[in-house]
Amino acid sequence: MIHVSCGIAILVLMVARLLIRLKVPSPPIVPKPKPMMTGLAHLGHLVIYLLFIALPVIGMVMMYNRGNPWMAFGLVMPYATEGNFDLVDTLKSWHITLANLGYFVIALHAAAALMHHYFWKDNTLLRMMPRKRQGN
């Protein structure tokens, strides 16, 4: 169940990333973007965080409600004593839909980062690199 283990790992990493992001502010973009661009960036990041937290949670609830043993990281995970297949089908549909939306959002996010670097020529990509952030 590599897919399930990867999903749980993504959930843990996204929650950790969100907590770090709330505690440690990101460096400013130079030159400062227009307010509309900043708003769109915040909206995009919110969508990414919501997707990559919701997807694994939906997946785990789906696996739990199948009512049979499932594994993650080589461990047997808890499962419902009786399967709820109507709920599982609904969750599976949501999981697939949100995953497909995630592909689109990732592509849009990468395109926006490249636009920042090559079209607007700001430091959006450079500020993600620890050495550049410190001025080295």
Side-chain angles (χ1 to χ4, degrees):
M1 291 248 158
I2 292 173
H3 182 96
V4 174
S5 296
C6 288
I8 293 170
I10 287 170
L11 175 62
V12 169
L13 291 171
M14 286 304 292
V15 170
R17 173 71 180 113
L18 180 60
L19 293 174
I20 290 169
R21 182 77 170 83
L22 292 173
K23 186 173 172 98
V24 180
S26 60
I29 298 174
V30 178
K32 185 176 180 168
K34 295 179 181 175
M36 185 179 88
M37 295 300 289
T38 301
L40 288 172
H42 289 308
L43 178 63
H45 287 116
L46 176 65
V47 168
I48 289 170
Y49 283 111
L50 289 175
L51 269 175
F52 289 99
I53 290 172
L55 270 169
V57 169
I58 289 170
M60 288 188 300
V61 173
M62 181 176 61
M63 294 300 290
Y64 175 85
N65 281 289
R66 288 174 57 192
N68 50 3
W70 57 288
M71 306 270 293
F73 303 105
L75 303 171
V76 176
M77 304 302 285
Y79 55 94
T81 54
E82 190 174 310
N84 182 345
F85 297 107
D86 290 334
L87 178 60
V88 169
D89 289 342
T90 300
L91 292 173
K92 184 175 183 179
S93 176
W94 275 101
H95 191 74
I96 291 169
T97 301
L98 291 175
N100 289 328
L101 176 63
Y103 295 131
F104 173 75
V105 170
I106 290 168
L108 191 61
H109 189 70
L114 292 173
M115 289 288 290
H116 275 280
H117 190 72
Y118 292 108
F119 183 72
W120 295 304
K121 299 190 186 308
D122 62 25
N123 68 336
T124 297
L125 285 180
L126 297 176
R127 69 194 186 114
M128 294 179 207
M129 298 178 198
R131 283 178 266 125
K132 297 292 182 185
R133 191 181 302 169
Q134 297 167 356
N136 293 341

